[in-house]
Amino acid sequence: MHDSHGERVNEKIEDKPTGKILCFSGPPGLGKKSLVCSIARALNRKFFRITIGRLTNIAEIKGHFRINVSSMPGKMVQCLKTVGTANPLVLIDGVYKLGRQHARDLTNAVLDLLDPEQNVKFVDNFFFFPIDLSKVSHCGDVETIEVVFLQDLSSN
């Protein structure tokens, strides 16, 4: 990305740092992840990727309750720990796969991350205290825009 493109992206995203969600559409291999990495570099933010397609349990997003020895925090807490900052750019890879899974709770957990009203007080079950995710910018990717709209219409 040229500096002029980076400056324009920075102006668009940094106007209001809360509640920004970008969605990129295109076939696999198009370069959506590379574009998000470039945007993160242009914004001087750390980049983290969460792959939805491999997740099967709500606890992978919201953390495991501390009842087992193998309990661990959810993906967002792991993200914040890994990047070491409160305002990373997070790519939620495979958003279009949420509707294809049978776990509706997983969809709701991802919506908790994305909703500006709820992510201010996001509670990870491992720590069980609210974490402010309002400074986190999210990006998603879909294969086609129609998939997102059809899933939204079918849920109503």
Side-chain angles (χ1 to χ4, degrees):
M1 248 184 179
H2 300 295
D3 285 341
S4 62
H5 295 313
E7 289 171 10
R8 279 191 275 159
V9 170
N10 196 5
E11 289 171 6
K12 294 289 182 191
I13 292 181
E14 292 298 326
D15 285 344
K16 280 181 70 182
T18 59
K20 296 292 182 179
I21 304 169
L22 301 174
C23 184
F24 296 99
S25 171
L30 187 66
K32 298 180 291 284
K33 180 184 171 204
S34 299
L35 180 62
V36 175
C37 286
S38 296
I39 291 171
R41 267 195 311 275
L43 296 173
N44 291 325
R45 290 188 176 199
K46 302 284 183 151
F47 171 75
F48 191 83
R49 177 180 170 201
I50 298 174
T51 305
I52 294 294
R54 297 183 185 134
L55 301 181
T56 57
N57 190 338
I58 187 174
E60 295 180 66
I61 297 284
K62 295 194 77 154
H64 297 265
F65 288 102
R66 289 186 179 201
I67 56 175
N68 295 326
V69 176
S70 61
S71 298
M72 56 191 296
K75 291 289 184 186
M76 275 312 299
V77 172
Q78 292 176 27
C79 162
L80 296 176
K81 181 181 177 199
T82 301
V83 298
T85 182
N87 68 343
L89 182 62
V90 177
L91 172 62
I92 301 176
D93 194 11
V95 174
Y96 59 93
K97 295 178 183 175
L98 281 174
R100 297 179 187 167
Q101 297 171 341
H102 298 290
R104 290 303 251 174
D105 290 339
L106 190 58
T107 304
N108 291 336
V110 172
L111 290 175
D112 286 348
L113 292 178
L114 299 176
D115 184 10
E117 295 292 322
Q118 296 180 39
N119 69 10
V120 175
K121 299 175 281 190
F122 179 79
V123 177
D124 189 281
N125 295 328
F126 186 77
F127 294 111
F128 213 68
F129 61 84
I131 300 168
D132 185 4
L133 299 177
S134 64
K135 295 177 185 170
V136 176
S137 293
H138 300 280
C139 293
D141 74 330
V142 295
E143 288 180 351
T144 62
I145 294 294
E146 291 83 20
V147 171
V148 176
F149 291 126
L150 289 176
Q151 287 174 359
D152 188 41
L153 291 174
S154 67
S155 66
N156 290 334

